[in-house]
Amino acid sequence: MDTAYKGTNKLITGIVFGVITFWLFAQSMVNIVPAVQSDLGVSLGAINVAISLSALFSGMFIVVAGGLADRIGRKKITYVGLILSIIGSLLLVLANGAFLLILGRILQGLSAAAIMPATIALVKEYFEGEDRQRALSYWSIGSWGGSGFCSFFGGAVATSMGWKWIFVFSIVFAVLAMWLIKDTPESKAETTGKFKFDFGGLGIFIVTMLALNVFITQGAELGWTSLATIGLAIVTVIGVIAFIKYEAKRDNALIDFKMFKSKAYTGATISNFLLNAVAGTLVVANTYVQVGRGFSAFQSGMLSIGYLIAVLGMIRVGEKIMQKTGARKPMVWGTTLTLIGVGVMGLTFLPDLMYTIVVFVGFILFGLGLGMYATPSTDTAVSYAPANKVGEASGVYKMASSLGNAFGVAISATVYSAITLVSSVEVAASSGIIVNVIFAVLSLISIIMLVPREAGENEDDPVRSSTVRPADVKQ
């Protein structure tokens, strides 16, 4: 038992290295499809399946891994994730066909599911106050920065060295992450009685998540009114109801729904889901400027470069604002900036030059808003989660991000595609962006209604102390 250990910059660096094994290296696969197809001689369909499987397995198992981190050790599950990352990357380096490619991508998805909630739980355990907020900011920079730079990084490495070197670098960073966190004491939640894993809940959860993921990612291709899509929707709804009822009767539930009694945690998670759904704007806006305004893929990418720079530059600013005002205000301000940035992109009636300027500014506001929101939201979710459920709560919070992103992209793209069949691309783009404005408005409402004004103001505020205790056990 070690109650004296405090988190260090070495631990933060190790955590960030672990996070970018997925968000920078694994995500680079989306930009190297032609090189992989040419080198391995596999079909485009096989590569697309390999790409989607990482997100699928991460989404299905992130809550499971978070719960396991609480029960058997957060450092241990982080190590499991890093080992899976190393094996998955090695399989991609050794791949000479579709089998190792697909298996490697599955392992990378499982790796992300383990690393993300376990590392957030380690931050909660070993950092306090402003130090915790700073650590969460760097966690967010590793995640947002990695996902933002992955296409540039992947393209550069694939062009200059060969695509397999991306995953050699991933192995190196995973090994460095393991070395940097090796001196960190183990952390786990206090448990009573013998640990029994909830295999029944896991089974229902996997079937439900699988149906939901296929519904989101393949609904447009299958047809939203097809029997297959309707069947997937029915399985998802029945699965959610069955899972909630099943878990409510179990002491060792996979997800403890009592954590949602905290309005602050619920508000952070719901707003996180909805604000990530606004990612559909990226698809609609980039598609429209290419189809409707004649931009090339490179030009449309440069149009949104301000988004990436703004979101990274604003993450630590959001942290500093939170330390002065509490978490609620930067969450509200950030969501409002995002709402405005997305809204102006819907002004498709503007002439070419004016619309180009408006979209460029809109992307910057979009990035500034998300950057300001990121750390206060994550800190609120972590701070108001029960101390013995931090890994599980972090898993649910990060799953909300993934599902929100997938839902937003699917719904926005569907609206855009459907309206192009009956009207102009300008009307279709405006309609698709209005969907994202609605998501942002709902996110703002959830923050105002659920996140208390006192959130994040200090460690001893009465609202927080009712839901959070110091860590029960540090081993």
Side-chain angles (χ1 to χ4, degrees), residues 354-402:
M354 182 62 70
Y355 185 72
T356 300
I357 295 171
V358 165
V359 171
F360 186 77
V361 173
F363 271 123
I364 292 174
L365 292 174
F366 188 3
L368 289 173
L370 288 183
M372 186 184 295
Y373 169 90
T375 299
S377 174
T378 307
D379 185 69
T380 300
V382 169
S383 300
Y384 285 85
N388 64 336
K389 298 283 185 180
V390 178
E392 181 180 320
S394 300
V396 172
Y397 178 81
K398 292 307 298 178
M399 184 177 69
S401 302
S402 300

Short mmCIF file of all heavy atoms in Angstrom, two decimals, residues 354-402:
data_model
loop_
_atom_site.label_atom_id
_atom_site.label_comp_id
_atom_site.label_asym_id
_atom_site.label_seq_id
_atom_site.Cartn_x
_atom_site.Cartn_y
_atom_site.Cartn_z
N MET A 354 -16.41 34.80 -50.20
CA MET A 354 -16.97 35.04 -48.88
C MET A 354 -17.22 33.72 -48.15
O MET A 354 -16.94 33.60 -46.96
CB MET A 354 -18.29 35.82 -49.01
CG MET A 354 -18.94 36.17 -47.68
SD MET A 354 -17.90 37.23 -46.66
CE MET A 354 -17.97 38.75 -47.60
N TYR A 355 -17.75 32.71 -48.85
CA TYR A 355 -18.02 31.43 -48.20
C TYR A 355 -16.72 30.75 -47.77
O TYR A 355 -16.64 30.16 -46.70
CB TYR A 355 -18.81 30.49 -49.12
CG TYR A 355 -19.20 29.20 -48.43
CD1 TYR A 355 -20.20 29.18 -47.46
CD2 TYR A 355 -18.56 28.00 -48.74
CE1 TYR A 355 -20.55 28.01 -46.81
CE2 TYR A 355 -18.90 26.83 -48.10
CZ TYR A 355 -19.90 26.83 -47.13
OH TYR A 355 -20.23 25.67 -46.48
N THR A 356 -15.68 30.85 -48.60
CA THR A 356 -14.38 30.26 -48.25
C THR A 356 -13.86 30.88 -46.96
O THR A 356 -13.38 30.16 -46.05
CB THR A 356 -13.37 30.49 -49.38
OG1 THR A 356 -13.85 29.88 -50.58
CG2 THR A 356 -12.01 29.89 -49.02
N ILE A 357 -13.96 32.21 -46.84
CA ILE A 357 -13.50 32.90 -45.62
C ILE A 357 -14.33 32.46 -44.42
O ILE A 357 -13.80 32.18 -43.34
CB ILE A 357 -13.58 34.43 -45.81
CG1 ILE A 357 -12.60 34.88 -46.90
CG2 ILE A 357 -13.30 35.15 -44.50
CD1 ILE A 357 -12.75 36.34 -47.31
N VAL A 358 -15.65 32.40 -44.62
CA VAL A 358 -16.56 32.03 -43.53
C VAL A 358 -16.27 30.61 -43.04
O VAL A 358 -16.23 30.35 -41.83
CB VAL A 358 -18.03 32.16 -44.00
CG1 VAL A 358 -18.96 31.43 -43.03
CG2 VAL A 358 -18.42 33.63 -44.09
N VAL A 359 -16.05 29.68 -43.97
CA VAL A 359 -15.77 28.29 -43.58
C VAL A 359 -14.43 28.20 -42.86
O VAL A 359 -14.30 27.48 -41.85
CB VAL A 359 -15.78 27.36 -44.81
CG1 VAL A 359 -15.28 25.97 -44.44
CG2 VAL A 359 -17.18 27.27 -45.38
N PHE A 360 -13.43 28.92 -43.34
CA PHE A 360 -12.12 28.91 -42.68
C PHE A 360 -12.24 29.40 -41.24
O PHE A 360 -11.72 28.78 -40.31
CB PHE A 360 -11.13 29.78 -43.46
CG PHE A 360 -9.72 29.72 -42.94
CD1 PHE A 360 -8.91 28.63 -43.22
CD2 PHE A 360 -9.22 30.76 -42.17
CE1 PHE A 360 -7.61 28.57 -42.72
CE2 PHE A 360 -7.93 30.71 -41.67
CZ PHE A 360 -7.12 29.60 -41.95
N VAL A 361 -12.95 30.51 -41.06
CA VAL A 361 -13.17 31.06 -39.71
C VAL A 361 -14.03 30.09 -38.88
O VAL A 361 -13.78 29.88 -37.69
CB VAL A 361 -13.83 32.45 -39.78
CG1 VAL A 361 -14.22 32.94 -38.39
CG2 VAL A 361 -12.90 33.45 -40.45
N GLY A 362 -15.03 29.49 -39.53
CA GLY A 362 -15.89 28.55 -38.83
C GLY A 362 -15.13 27.36 -38.28
O GLY A 362 -15.35 26.93 -37.14
N PHE A 363 -14.20 26.82 -39.07
CA PHE A 363 -13.38 25.71 -38.61
C PHE A 363 -12.51 26.12 -37.41
O PHE A 363 -12.32 25.34 -36.48
CB PHE A 363 -12.49 25.19 -39.74
CG PHE A 363 -13.14 24.10 -40.56
CD1 PHE A 363 -13.28 24.25 -41.93
CD2 PHE A 363 -13.60 22.94 -39.97
CE1 PHE A 363 -13.87 23.25 -42.71
CE2 PHE A 363 -14.19 21.93 -40.72
CZ PHE A 363 -14.33 22.09 -42.09
N ILE A 364 -12.00 27.34 -37.44
CA ILE A 364 -11.19 27.83 -36.32
C ILE A 364 -12.03 27.92 -35.05
O ILE A 364 -11.62 27.47 -33.97
CB ILE A 364 -10.55 29.19 -36.66
CG1 ILE A 364 -9.50 29.03 -37.76
CG2 ILE A 364 -9.92 29.81 -35.40
CD1 ILE A 364 -8.92 30.34 -38.25
N LEU A 365 -13.23 28.49 -35.17
CA LEU A 365 -14.13 28.58 -34.01
C LEU A 365 -14.51 27.19 -33.51
O LEU A 365 -14.60 26.96 -32.29
CB LEU A 365 -15.39 29.37 -34.39
CG LEU A 365 -15.20 30.86 -34.68
CD1 LEU A 365 -16.51 31.47 -35.18
CD2 LEU A 365 -14.71 31.59 -33.44
N PHE A 366 -14.76 26.27 -34.42
CA PHE A 366 -15.07 24.88 -34.10
C PHE A 366 -13.94 24.29 -33.25
O PHE A 366 -14.16 23.71 -32.18
CB PHE A 366 -15.22 24.11 -35.41
CG PHE A 366 -15.73 22.70 -35.28
CD1 PHE A 366 -16.09 22.14 -34.06
CD2 PHE A 366 -15.84 21.91 -36.42
CE1 PHE A 366 -16.55 20.84 -33.97
CE2 PHE A 366 -16.30 20.60 -36.34
CZ PHE A 366 -16.65 20.06 -35.11
N GLY A 367 -12.69 24.48 -33.69
CA GLY A 367 -11.54 23.95 -32.96
C GLY A 367 -11.34 24.63 -31.63
O GLY A 367 -11.03 23.98 -30.62
N LEU A 368 -11.50 25.96 -31.59
CA LEU A 368 -11.36 26.69 -30.33
C LEU A 368 -12.36 26.19 -29.30
O LEU A 368 -12.04 26.01 -28.12
CB LEU A 368 -11.56 28.19 -30.57
CG LEU A 368 -10.45 28.93 -31.34
CD1 LEU A 368 -10.89 30.37 -31.63
CD2 LEU A 368 -9.14 28.92 -30.58
N GLY A 369 -13.59 25.96 -29.76
CA GLY A 369 -14.64 25.49 -28.85
C GLY A 369 -14.35 24.11 -28.29
O GLY A 369 -14.45 23.88 -27.08
N LEU A 370 -14.00 23.18 -29.17
CA LEU A 370 -13.71 21.82 -28.70
C LEU A 370 -12.50 21.81 -27.78
O LEU A 370 -12.46 21.08 -26.78
CB LEU A 370 -13.47 20.90 -29.89
CG LEU A 370 -14.70 20.52 -30.73
CD1 LEU A 370 -14.29 19.55 -31.83
CD2 LEU A 370 -15.80 19.92 -29.88
N GLY A 371 -11.46 22.60 -28.12
CA GLY A 371 -10.28 22.65 -27.27
C GLY A 371 -10.59 23.20 -25.89
O GLY A 371 -10.10 22.69 -24.87
N MET A 372 -11.42 24.23 -25.82
CA MET A 372 -11.80 24.81 -24.53
C MET A 372 -12.63 23.83 -23.71
O MET A 372 -12.52 23.77 -22.49
CB MET A 372 -12.59 26.11 -24.76
CG MET A 372 -12.92 26.85 -23.48
SD MET A 372 -13.95 28.32 -23.75
CE MET A 372 -12.82 29.33 -24.71
N TYR A 373 -13.45 23.04 -24.38
CA TYR A 373 -14.36 22.10 -23.70
C TYR A 373 -13.64 20.86 -23.18
O TYR A 373 -14.02 20.31 -22.14
CB TYR A 373 -15.45 21.69 -24.70
CG TYR A 373 -16.32 20.53 -24.28
CD1 TYR A 373 -17.49 20.74 -23.57
CD2 TYR A 373 -15.97 19.22 -24.59
CE1 TYR A 373 -18.30 19.68 -23.18
CE2 TYR A 373 -16.76 18.15 -24.21
CZ TYR A 373 -17.93 18.38 -23.50
OH TYR A 373 -18.71 17.32 -23.11
N ALA A 374 -12.58 20.41 -23.85
CA ALA A 374 -12.01 19.07 -23.65
C ALA A 374 -11.61 18.77 -22.21
O ALA A 374 -12.14 17.84 -21.59
CB ALA A 374 -10.83 18.87 -24.59
N THR A 375 -10.68 19.54 -21.64
CA THR A 375 -10.18 19.23 -20.30
C THR A 375 -11.24 19.44 -19.22
O THR A 375 -11.39 18.59 -18.33
CB THR A 375 -8.92 20.05 -20.00
OG1 THR A 375 -7.90 19.71 -20.95
CG2 THR A 375 -8.40 19.75 -18.60
N PRO A 376 -12.00 20.56 -19.22
CA PRO A 376 -13.04 20.71 -18.19
C PRO A 376 -14.05 19.57 -18.19
O PRO A 376 -14.48 19.11 -17.13
CB PRO A 376 -13.70 22.05 -18.56
CG PRO A 376 -12.63 22.81 -19.26
CD PRO A 376 -11.87 21.78 -20.04
N SER A 377 -14.44 19.11 -19.38
CA SER A 377 -15.41 18.01 -19.46
C SER A 377 -14.81 16.72 -18.90
O SER A 377 -15.44 16.02 -18.10
CB SER A 377 -15.84 17.81 -20.91
OG SER A 377 -16.68 16.68 -21.03
N THR A 378 -13.60 16.38 -19.35
CA THR A 378 -12.96 15.16 -18.87
C THR A 378 -12.73 15.22 -17.37
O THR A 378 -12.96 14.24 -16.65
CB THR A 378 -11.62 14.93 -19.59
OG1 THR A 378 -11.83 14.97 -21.01
CG2 THR A 378 -11.02 13.58 -19.22
N ASP A 379 -12.28 16.37 -16.87
CA ASP A 379 -12.03 16.52 -15.43
C ASP A 379 -13.32 16.37 -14.62
O ASP A 379 -13.33 15.75 -13.56
CB ASP A 379 -11.40 17.88 -15.16
CG ASP A 379 -11.01 18.05 -13.70
OD1 ASP A 379 -10.07 17.36 -13.25
OD2 ASP A 379 -11.66 18.84 -12.99
N THR A 380 -14.41 16.91 -15.16
CA THR A 380 -15.71 16.77 -14.47
C THR A 380 -16.14 15.31 -14.40
O THR A 380 -16.56 14.82 -13.35
CB THR A 380 -16.79 17.61 -15.19
OG1 THR A 380 -16.40 18.98 -15.19
CG2 THR A 380 -18.14 17.46 -14.50
N ALA A 381 -16.01 14.61 -15.52
CA ALA A 381 -16.40 13.19 -15.55
C ALA A 381 -15.56 12.39 -14.57
O ALA A 381 -16.09 11.55 -13.82
CB ALA A 381 -16.24 12.64 -16.96
N VAL A 382 -14.26 12.63 -14.54
CA VAL A 382 -13.35 11.88 -13.66
C VAL A 382 -13.58 12.25 -12.21
O VAL A 382 -13.63 11.39 -11.32
CB VAL A 382 -11.89 12.14 -14.07
CG1 VAL A 382 -10.93 11.60 -13.03
CG2 VAL A 382 -11.58 11.51 -15.42
N SER A 383 -13.75 13.55 -11.93
CA SER A 383 -13.87 14.02 -10.55
C SER A 383 -15.16 13.55 -9.88
O SER A 383 -15.18 13.27 -8.69
CB SER A 383 -13.82 15.55 -10.51
OG SER A 383 -12.61 16.02 -11.04
N TYR A 384 -16.23 13.47 -10.64
CA TYR A 384 -17.52 13.12 -10.06
C TYR A 384 -17.86 11.63 -10.19
O TYR A 384 -18.94 11.21 -9.81
CB TYR A 384 -18.63 13.97 -10.68
CG TYR A 384 -18.63 15.39 -10.17
CD1 TYR A 384 -17.81 16.35 -10.74
CD2 TYR A 384 -19.42 15.76 -9.09
CE1 TYR A 384 -17.80 17.65 -10.26
CE2 TYR A 384 -19.41 17.05 -8.60
CZ TYR A 384 -18.60 18.00 -9.20
OH TYR A 384 -18.59 19.29 -8.72
N ALA A 385 -16.94 10.85 -10.74
CA ALA A 385 -17.14 9.40 -10.77
C ALA A 385 -16.83 8.82 -9.40
O ALA A 385 -15.94 9.31 -8.70
CB ALA A 385 -16.22 8.77 -11.82
N PRO A 386 -17.53 7.76 -8.98
CA PRO A 386 -17.20 7.12 -7.71
C PRO A 386 -15.75 6.64 -7.72
O PRO A 386 -15.24 6.17 -8.74
CB PRO A 386 -18.16 5.92 -7.66
CG PRO A 386 -19.28 6.31 -8.58
CD PRO A 386 -18.67 7.13 -9.66
N ALA A 387 -15.06 6.77 -6.59
CA ALA A 387 -13.63 6.48 -6.53
C ALA A 387 -13.32 5.03 -6.91
O ALA A 387 -12.25 4.75 -7.45
CB ALA A 387 -13.10 6.77 -5.12
N ASN A 388 -14.24 4.11 -6.63
CA ASN A 388 -13.98 2.70 -6.95
C ASN A 388 -14.49 2.30 -8.33
O ASN A 388 -14.50 1.13 -8.69
CB ASN A 388 -14.62 1.79 -5.89
CG ASN A 388 -16.13 1.90 -5.86
OD1 ASN A 388 -16.69 2.92 -6.28
ND2 ASN A 388 -16.80 0.87 -5.38
N LYS A 389 -14.92 3.31 -9.12
CA LYS A 389 -15.45 3.03 -10.46
C LYS A 389 -14.84 3.96 -11.52
O LYS A 389 -15.42 4.17 -12.58
CB LYS A 389 -16.98 3.23 -10.48
CG LYS A 389 -17.75 2.31 -9.54
CD LYS A 389 -17.86 0.91 -10.11
CE LYS A 389 -18.75 0.03 -9.23
NZ LYS A 389 -18.87 -1.32 -9.77
N VAL A 390 -13.66 4.51 -11.24
CA VAL A 390 -13.09 5.52 -12.14
C VAL A 390 -12.79 4.92 -13.51
O VAL A 390 -13.06 5.53 -14.55
CB VAL A 390 -11.81 6.14 -11.53
CG1 VAL A 390 -11.20 7.15 -12.51
CG2 VAL A 390 -12.13 6.83 -10.22
N GLY A 391 -12.20 3.72 -13.54
CA GLY A 391 -11.90 3.09 -14.83
C GLY A 391 -13.15 2.81 -15.63
O GLY A 391 -13.22 3.09 -16.83
N GLU A 392 -14.16 2.27 -14.96
CA GLU A 392 -15.43 1.97 -15.62
C GLU A 392 -16.10 3.25 -16.12
O GLU A 392 -16.58 3.32 -17.26
CB GLU A 392 -16.34 1.26 -14.63
CG GLU A 392 -17.69 0.85 -15.17
CD GLU A 392 -18.53 0.15 -14.11
OE1 GLU A 392 -17.98 -0.65 -13.34
OE2 GLU A 392 -19.74 0.44 -14.06
N ALA A 393 -16.11 4.28 -15.25
CA ALA A 393 -16.72 5.55 -15.63
C ALA A 393 -15.97 6.20 -16.80
O ALA A 393 -16.59 6.77 -17.70
CB ALA A 393 -16.74 6.50 -14.43
N SER A 394 -14.65 6.09 -16.79
CA SER A 394 -13.85 6.63 -17.90
C SER A 394 -14.15 5.89 -19.19
O SER A 394 -14.19 6.49 -20.27
CB SER A 394 -12.36 6.53 -17.57
OG SER A 394 -12.03 7.25 -16.40
N GLY A 395 -14.35 4.56 -19.08
CA GLY A 395 -14.70 3.77 -20.26
C GLY A 395 -16.02 4.20 -20.86
O GLY A 395 -16.15 4.34 -22.09
N VAL A 396 -17.01 4.44 -20.01
CA VAL A 396 -18.31 4.90 -20.50
C VAL A 396 -18.18 6.28 -21.15
O VAL A 396 -18.74 6.54 -22.22
CB VAL A 396 -19.34 4.95 -19.34
CG1 VAL A 396 -20.64 5.60 -19.80
CG2 VAL A 396 -19.61 3.54 -18.82
N TYR A 397 -17.41 7.16 -20.50
CA TYR A 397 -17.21 8.51 -21.03
C TYR A 397 -16.55 8.48 -22.40
O TYR A 397 -16.97 9.18 -23.33
CB TYR A 397 -16.36 9.31 -20.04
CG TYR A 397 -16.05 10.72 -20.48
CD1 TYR A 397 -16.98 11.75 -20.32
CD2 TYR A 397 -14.82 11.03 -21.04
CE1 TYR A 397 -16.70 13.04 -20.71
CE2 TYR A 397 -14.52 12.32 -21.44
CZ TYR A 397 -15.46 13.33 -21.28
OH TYR A 397 -15.17 14.61 -21.69
N LYS A 398 -15.49 7.65 -22.55
CA LYS A 398 -14.80 7.58 -23.84
C LYS A 398 -15.64 6.84 -24.89
O LYS A 398 -15.55 7.14 -26.07
CB LYS A 398 -13.44 6.89 -23.68
CG LYS A 398 -12.42 7.69 -22.88
CD LYS A 398 -12.26 9.11 -23.43
CE LYS A 398 -11.75 9.16 -24.85
NZ LYS A 398 -11.64 10.55 -25.36
N MET A 399 -16.44 5.88 -24.46
CA MET A 399 -17.35 5.21 -25.39
C MET A 399 -18.36 6.22 -25.94
O MET A 399 -18.74 6.16 -27.12
CB MET A 399 -18.07 4.05 -24.72
CG MET A 399 -18.97 3.25 -25.68
SD MET A 399 -19.75 1.83 -24.89
CE MET A 399 -20.89 2.65 -23.78
N ALA A 400 -18.79 7.16 -25.09
CA ALA A 400 -19.71 8.20 -25.53
C ALA A 400 -19.08 9.02 -26.65
O ALA A 400 -19.76 9.41 -27.61
CB ALA A 400 -20.10 9.10 -24.36
N SER A 401 -17.77 9.29 -26.56
CA SER A 401 -17.06 10.02 -27.61
C SER A 401 -17.14 9.28 -28.93
O SER A 401 -17.50 9.85 -29.98
CB SER A 401 -15.59 10.22 -27.24
OG SER A 401 -15.44 10.89 -26.03
N SER A 402 -16.80 7.99 -28.89
CA SER A 402 -16.75 7.18 -30.12
C SER A 402 -18.13 7.04 -30.75
O SER A 402 -18.30 7.20 -31.97
CB SER A 402 -16.17 5.80 -29.81
OG SER A 402 -14.86 5.90 -29.30
#
